[in-house]
């Protein structure tokens, strides 16, 4: 349930050309600590540049448990769509994207949390990519999730289950 399809250090290390070859057409990014630090109010230039390039080949969405006020500056600046109040690990936010005419097999969920982003994508039966959080600072609600993740990572490490750059399916 918590195992991603791919694990990478950050969004810049993902092999997007490989995703394109797998017929992925929709990249669904988490916002906080995936695309930007939680206390940033505009998209970092490095993320902005990446999204601009990715828009040539993919439809891009931001999906967040945060409010529309939080994601609005990003979706406007990047010229992409967003789904606020997604309630991950539930799949409601991902369903909204499919309702726009996209197929599950063409989607990938990219985020920094096993307990929200990866679980949501896995429950929705789409590919998932876990990245390390951009920063150490988290929202208070996330602190509990990180404790759970720590235990899951310990288990994965003991069982030699998860390593960066490896593809799982």
């Amino acid at each position: 349930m918590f195992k991603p399809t791919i694990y990478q250090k950050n969004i810049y290390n993902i092999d997007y050309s490989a995703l394109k070859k797998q017929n992925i057409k929709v990249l669904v990014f988490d916002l906080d600590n995936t695309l930007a630090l939680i206390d940033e109010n505009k998209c970092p230039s490095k993320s902005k540049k990446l999204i601009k390039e990715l828009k040539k080949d993919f439809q891009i969405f931001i999906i967040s448990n945060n409010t529309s006020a939080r994601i609005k500056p990003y979706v406007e600046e990047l010229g992409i769509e967003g789904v606020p109040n997604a309630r991950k690990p539930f799949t409601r936010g991902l369903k909204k994207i499919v309702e726009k005419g996209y197929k599950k097999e063409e989607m990938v969920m990219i985020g920094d949390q096993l307990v929200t982003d990866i679980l949501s994508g896995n429950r929705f039966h789409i590919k998932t990519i876990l990245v390390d959080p951009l920063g150490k600072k988290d929202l208070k609600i996330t602190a509990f999730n990180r404790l759970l993740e720590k235990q899951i990572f310990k288990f994965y490490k003991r069982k030699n289950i998860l390593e960066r750059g490896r593809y799982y399916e």
Side-chain angles (χ1 to χ4, degrees):
M1 252 341 192
F2 296 107
K3 190 163 77 171
T5 311
I6 302 168
Y7 176 37
Q8 279 295 352
K9 180 166 179 55
N10 55 48
I11 60 173
Y12 314 107
N13 289 78
I14 296 170
D15 186 350
Y16 295 101
S17 61
L19 293 176
K20 188 176 176 185
K21 287 176 188 169
Q22 294 171 31
N23 204 32
I24 296 297
K25 296 179 179 158
V26 182
L27 304 177
V28 183
F29 286 93
D30 171 56
L31 175 58
D32 293 317
N33 271 334
T34 300
L35 276 179
L37 297 171
I38 66 166
D39 51 6
E40 289 180 313
N41 292 321
K42 63 181 214 168
C43 194
S45 59
K46 192 173 180 183
S47 294
K48 192 174 179 179
K49 184 178 176 185
L50 175 66
I51 297 298
K52 184 179 177 183
E53 277 302 306
L54 293 174
K55 282 173 58 177
K56 294 174 184 174
D57 295 314
F58 301 97
Q59 184 68 36
I60 314 287
F61 286 85
I62 289 177
I63 187 170
S64 177
N65 286 347
N66 221 315
T67 64
S68 55
R70 169 72 177 132
I71 73 167
K72 186 178 179 183
Y74 293 88
V75 297
E76 286 179 351
E77 183 176 10
L78 297 169
I80 60 175
E81 294 185 66
V83 180
N85 306 308
R87 297 186 181 152
K88 298 174 288 182
F90 299 107
T91 59
R92 160 183 179 270
L94 294 167
K95 285 177 188 165
K96 287 184 176 188
I97 295 170
V98 168
E99 288 168 3
K100 293 178 181 283
Y102 301 103
K103 298 176 185 169
K104 286 184 180 187
E105 58 271 12
E106 298 173 338
M107 295 170 59
V108 66
M109 174 71 210
I110 303 166
D112 69 299
Q113 289 188 63
L114 288 172
V115 179
T116 56
D117 307 315
I118 302 308
L119 183 56
S120 178
N122 287 346
R123 290 180 71 219
F124 199 59
H125 306 288
I126 63 173
K127 289 182 185 332
T128 55
I129 301 176
L130 176 68
V131 294
D132 293 335
L134 286 177
K136 297 207 182 287
K137 186 177 178 184
D138 273 316
L139 300 170
K140 287 181 181 166
I141 188 85
T142 306
F144 175 75
N145 293 348
R146 296 287 185 206
L147 288 173
L148 241 115
E149 281 183 358
K150 199 173 186 178
Q151 296 307 309
I152 296 166
F153 271 112
K154 278 183 185 177
F155 172 78
Y156 283 168
K157 190 172 184 178
R158 262 196 332 269
K159 300 287 184 179
N160 199 23
I161 291 177
L162 193 62
E163 63 183 73
R164 277 196 198 110
R166 190 165 160 201
Y167 187 85
Y168 301 93
E169 192 106 55

